[in-house]
Amino acid sequence: MNRFNILILAVMLSVSLARGAEDGKHLFILSGQSNMASLDPNISFTPTVEAAFGKENVTVVKDAQSGQPISRWYKHNKKGKPGTRGDLYGRLLKKVQLAIKGEKLRTVTFVWMQGESDVRETAAVYSDSLGGLIGHLKTDLQFKDIHFVIGRISDYGLKVPGAYKRWNFKKEGWQRIRTIQVEYAKSYRLGAWVDTDDLNDGKDHKGRDVENGLHYSVEGYRILGQRFAEKAIAVINAKPNKAIDSDKK
């Protein structure tokens, strides 16, 4: 075999290896409480990530439940009620494992929209619980580099008069969760956060006017899915440790 043929063979081998390294699905896991439960990924999230990576290369799994604290997902949250700690995580994991059975994963991105139920005393352990939840996924999926996108809870608890009395929380607790969510996303090597303060005005799914609502408008949920997708794409394509901050589009 002459040098030219050897060179061609080496190039073909390197290309084959490079393609092999890029094989696998981009897995997106969406979870959280009511504002995630009300988000339909098929409206804007899934089409956006499929346009970026190809429909055949994307798997989207969503499992959410309204009104739940993070202890329902993080097994070791000491503030959670015995018997419920981590039970929703177990449900989520089973759904994910079923969706990816027999598949090779190229990337895993965890998209989280939750926090309103932790604005009381559980805010003190929220950051640790976030880290623990992502740790659960890394261990159970055997995937070291999980990308993370979080939606910061809206300004509802800061702007609506009497909201803190109605739901028995302190404004300081609401702001604390917001701060923790942003700080955690910025400190996480493969993380980003999404602003939702402008998504809770407009018409809800029943045609009612929403102004600084606890939940978002129909258009707000569409935009939320779009923002989540764009941030997910950004963290996947970004170099590690490169900051990806929130913006509004």
Side-chain angles (χ1 to χ4, degrees), residues 31-37 63-74 77 79-89 91 112-120 122-123 126 129-130 133 153 167 174 177 181 214-215:
S31 194
Q33 57 181 112
S34 58
N35 281 316
M36 180 60 84
D63 189 76
Q65 187 159 322
S66 299
Q68 304 306 313
I70 198 171
S71 62
R72 298 289 301 275
W73 286 270
Y74 179 46
N77 184 309
K79 297 285 186 178
K81 295 179 180 179
T84 68
R85 294 171 189 157
D87 61 332
L88 291 180
Y89 173 77
R91 189 180 78 181
W112 183 245
M113 185 71 245
Q114 186 275 342
E116 294 91 346
S117 291
D118 289 275
V119 298
R120 301 178 184 89
T122 51
Y126 194 80
S129 296
L130 273 178
L133 173 52
I153 62 172
W167 297 104
W174 194 277
I177 290 293
Q181 290 177 329
L214 177 61
H215 301 116

